[in-house]
Amino acid sequence: MFAKVTDSRLGGNARQRRRSTLLAGLPLPLPLPLLVLSALLVSHSALAGPEIQHWMTDQGAKVLFVEAPDLPMLDIRVALDAGSARDGERPGIASLSAGLLTQGAGDWDADAIAERVESIGAQLSASTERDMTTVSLRTLTDEPALNTAIETLTTVLSTPRFETEDVERVKRNRLTALRQAEQDPGTVGRKAFYRAVFRDHPYASDPSGTAESVAQLAPEDFQRFHQDYYRASGATIAMVGAIDRARAERIAKAISAGLPKGEAPPHLPPVAGLDHGDTQTIDFPSSQTHLYAGAPGMKRGDPDYFPLYVGNHILGGSGLVSLLMEQVREKRGLSYSVYSYFLPLAQRGPFMLGLQTKNVQAEQACEVLLETLRQFIAQGPSEKELDDAVKNITGGFPLRIASNSKIVSYLAVIGFYDLPLDYLDRLTDRIRAVTREQIQDAFARRVHPDKLQIVMVGQPVAAAEEPMEDESGEQTSTPDTGANAGDI
């Protein structure tokens, strides 16, 4: 659901915690026993849709709560309007601030926080996306574990230390990660893609920041960012677990009481459309070319959300059975994987198509990608394609909310983006109501292939530059060009 940038999770020993900062950005697996238990916990109720209770705290935080009494566990996710779109002139500060929350808060240093979390078997993490920073807690509801967990969560949220030693350690880790990212053509391509699509909009900046910006950040910068954006107003507290409403109210009150009420940050500026398309080639020493194409797509609550969502599922969002997969992989063997997706945000997020292919096939793969998109816009899906897509989406929906952690993620999104509380209850009906005409109309109005930004990272070979073979059949140009069009 989200593209996380940092995820500093506590619950192991202190040495593991130290290493976790080096792994910022990598998803951390949920222990299998907890995953299984979570799935069992809500698998039945998910079919009917969870009953969401909601209220506001005195400090102005929005609360969404689902009571799940079967197991003595509680999942909490606090979503703050403190994403990387608020970085301003300090790229990276939002994600680094989130990473520093568990490095020292209140009377505790990083080791003390880790020991508190570890001693009760809880999990505490923070992550940053473009729109929001989320702080997540999973704990048992038995005492004293629950009180210890809630006290730790409220303290790291409200009184992080941002001490010089911690700041410098986290900055060094981030600078190392940024240097490593420069060696990854996929990361290089995605950053260039966002810059090309969003230009001067805050979404253009990567949440991980830049080496130049990160190097200059000081403790007072983090303190100021925390004061400006860690506020109760505009925050969403999502909870799913084995507590009653009265206990949930006390917990939500305790979490929000530590945050200044303040005012919610101003809305982000709208994302401007693109006047024309452009292709950017980034030379990278690799045998594969990473290709990204796209433009501003849609935002949360967009009136075209469901036609575009279902249409994209047919185009490139359904894995091996998508149209892009059929044309690019199955018929031509140009790529092992090809995809497309919309990422709705507070403002228009990206519509992205992507693939990875051999350098010598990059131009052809790009042409097939774009031609498939053009045909889909011109012709729309067939009735069978639409019927299959609807069955696939609605049939798989119960699994999307088949655990407490998945439900709490949905609650955070519903609260943060002001989606209707019956969003989950009505979702499958709205999917089934989508028609071929709606999909074709929405794509025709919203997706313009001639205005896409295309980024290719690698050493793509244009047709006129393809290596020639001499009479002996040996290549006379660059060596890594004996590509077989049938190879993936």
Side-chain angles (χ1 to χ4, degrees):
M1 185 179 299
F2 303 116
K4 295 182 178 179
V5 172
T6 65
D7 191 337
S8 58
R9 174 169 299 188
L10 298 178
N13 58 37
R15 182 175 299 174
Q16 290 173 324
R17 178 190 53 73
R18 296 286 188 186
R19 285 204 303 269
S20 70
T21 56
L22 287 170
L23 299 175
L26 298 177
L28 298 180
L30 193 66
L32 183 58
L34 288 181
L35 185 63
V36 173
L37 290 174
S38 296
L40 293 174
L41 175 63
V42 295
S43 58
H44 175 73
S45 60
L47 297 176
E51 180 181 350
I52 302 173
Q53 302 178 54
H54 66 99
W55 65 92
M56 300 287 288
T57 69
D58 293 340
Q59 287 289 90
K62 188 184 302 180
V63 185
L64 281 77
F65 168 57
V66 170
E67 188 171 348
D70 294 349
L71 287 176
M73 296 171 54
L74 175 64
D75 282 273
I76 299 176
R77 182 161 297 186
V78 182
L80 300 154
D81 194 342
S84 65
R86 305 296 181 183
D87 278 351
E89 300 300 320
R90 300 165 294 179
I93 192 169
S95 59
L96 285 169
S97 295
L100 281 162
L101 294 178
T102 54
Q103 300 302 302
D107 295 331
W108 313 313
D109 60 15
D111 290 335
I113 294 174
E115 290 168 5
R116 287 177 64 86
V117 174
E118 181 182 355
S119 67
I120 57 174
Q123 296 175 348
L124 178 63
S125 64
S127 63
T128 294
E129 304 149 17
R130 280 180 165 78
D131 277 343
M132 70 175 83
T133 283
T134 57
V135 181
S136 302
L137 172 69
R138 165 167 283 191
T139 179
L140 297 173
T141 51
D142 297 333
E143 297 297 356
L146 181 56
N147 277 337
T148 301
I150 298 302
E151 183 184 29
T152 307
L153 172 63
T154 56
T155 302
V156 302
L157 264 175
S158 59
T159 57
R161 290 179 170 181
F162 299 127
E163 292 187 343
T164 299
E165 179 182 357
D166 300 326
V167 167
E168 293 304 315
R169 183 178 65 256
V170 171
K171 284 172 55 179
R172 286 196 298 273
N173 293 338
R174 175 60 58 83
L175 291 171
T176 299
L178 288 170
R179 286 194 294 271
Q180 292 174 340
E182 293 174 356
Q183 307 305 314
D184 177 13
T187 302
V188 171
R190 284 189 293 273
K191 289 182 178 181
F193 173 81
Y194 270 84
R195 290 194 296 269
V197 169
F198 295 104
R199 296 172 290 182
D200 58 351
H201 191 275
Y203 287 162
S205 179
D206 190 81
S208 63
T210 65
E212 294 76 14
S213 173
V214 170
Q216 295 176 4
L217 293 174
E220 52 267 29
D221 294 317
F222 296 102
Q223 292 162 359
R224 189 178 309 117
F225 186 86
H226 184 267
Q227 292 169 1
D228 290 343
Y229 295 108
Y230 282 63
R231 300 174 177 174
S233 294
T236 294
I237 302 172
M239 292 186 284
V240 179
I243 56 174
D244 59 20
R245 167 68 179 261
R247 187 63 186 272
E249 289 185 1
R250 292 196 296 273
I251 291 174
K253 182 177 181 180
I255 293 172
S256 63
L259 298 171
K261 187 173 184 178
E263 295 182 0
H267 293 304
L268 294 172
V271 173
L274 301 175
D275 297 328
H276 61 276
D278 196 10
T279 299
Q280 178 184 171
T281 300
I282 300 175
D283 186 68
F284 198 91
S286 62
S287 60
Q288 296 273 318
T289 293
H290 291 248
L291 187 154
Y292 304 92
M298 61 176 172
K299 62 181 181 179
R300 288 283 176 185
D302 195 295
D304 289 323
Y305 179 87
F306 288 100
L308 291 175
Y309 178 82
V310 177
N312 180 71
H313 188 84
I314 298 167
L315 173 65
S318 51
L320 292 173
V321 298
S322 72
L323 295 178
L324 288 175
M325 192 69 84
E326 178 185 7
Q327 295 298 323
V328 176
R329 168 177 158 148
E330 300 301 329
K331 289 188 175 180
R332 297 172 177 82
L334 293 173
S335 179
Y336 183 79
S337 176
V338 57
Y339 59 86
S340 65
Y341 65 81
F342 287 92
L343 178 61
L345 298 173
Q347 298 297 334
R348 294 167 65 194
F351 168 58
M352 178 187 283
L353 307 96
L355 59 80
Q356 183 178 339
T357 188
K358 291 183 176 180
N359 288 329
V360 73
Q361 298 174 332
E363 295 288 347
Q364 183 187 2
C366 184
E367 291 174 4
V368 174
L369 186 85
L370 297 180
E371 182 57 26
T372 304
L373 175 62
R374 292 189 189 96
Q375 289 187 8
F376 184 74
I377 295 171
Q379 301 172 5
S382 68
E383 286 291 351
K384 184 179 185 309
E385 289 167 344
L386 175 58
D387 185 58
D388 289 345
V390 169
K391 289 179 179 176
N392 183 268
I393 296 169
T394 58
F397 179 69
L399 294 178
R400 294 174 179 266
I401 54 173
S403 71
N404 284 8
S405 60
K406 291 179 180 177
I407 293 177
V408 83
S409 295
Y410 269 111
L411 296 187
V413 169
I414 290 170
F416 186 84
Y417 290 110
D418 288 324
L419 300 178
L421 291 175
D422 63 353
Y423 180 81
L424 295 177
D425 290 333
R426 296 181 58 205
L427 193 145
T428 55
D429 287 341
R430 301 186 72 173
I431 294 292
R432 292 189 183 96
V434 171
T435 66
R436 290 181 59 247
E437 292 74 19
Q438 289 174 335
I439 293 174
Q440 190 170 5
D441 173 65
F443 269 78
R445 286 185 290 102
R446 304 291 292 268
V447 181
H448 306 287
D450 60 328
K451 296 180 180 179
L452 297 183
Q453 297 297 303
I454 299 172
V455 174
M456 290 193 282
V457 183
Q459 296 179 326
V461 180
E465 300 171 349
E466 288 184 356
M468 302 297 291
E469 294 183 352
D470 62 17
E471 293 181 352
S472 66
E474 295 179 351
Q475 295 169 352
T476 58
S477 178
T478 50
D480 185 22
T481 52
N484 185 327
D487 291 343
I488 296 176

